[in-house]
Amino acid sequence: EPRRAPCARSPVRRLEGWSEIADYLGRSEKWCWRWAKKPVGERLPVYRVGGIVCADAEDLDAWVQAAKLADVGSAVPYPLRR
């Protein structure tokens, strides 16, 4: 029986690890890590499962959209892939 990824718990697209999250957003791993440490409301929506950082693609998309709608200028460096 194949092992399931620690973050795979629903049909929503799960991204596992800083590298996969960074690739999805078109940014560096360091950029993602820094935005994950921001205050609530600005923070990159990631979580940990068994010590592995994970994110849902739809949550990242919503975060990007909210940052754009907030119109905070250069305070939020938008992900490149959007």
Side-chain angles (χ1 to χ4, degrees):
E1 176 177 307
R3 281 180 42 172
R4 291 182 59 195
C7 297
R9 46 172 210 221
S10 76
V12 173
R13 180 169 177 206
R14 301 273 185 227
L15 306 170
E16 190 174 312
W18 290 118
S19 178
E20 199 170 323
I21 293 167
D23 287 347
Y24 183 78
L25 292 173
R27 291 290 186 164
S28 70
E29 290 180 38
K30 186 174 183 177
W31 183 93
C32 293
W33 184 82
R34 279 194 313 254
W35 279 93
K37 299 294 182 185
K38 295 284 185 181
V40 173
E42 296 177 28
R43 185 177 303 159
L44 189 66
V46 298
Y47 55 92
R48 291 192 181 272
V49 175
I52 297 170
V53 67
C54 300
D56 296 337
E58 86 179 19
D59 289 345
L60 294 177
D61 293 339
W63 180 80
V64 168
Q65 192 61 32
K68 288 180 181 178
L69 291 175
D71 194 30
V72 291
S74 62
V76 177
Y78 303 127
L80 297 174
R81 79 180 280 280
R82 300 287 181 251

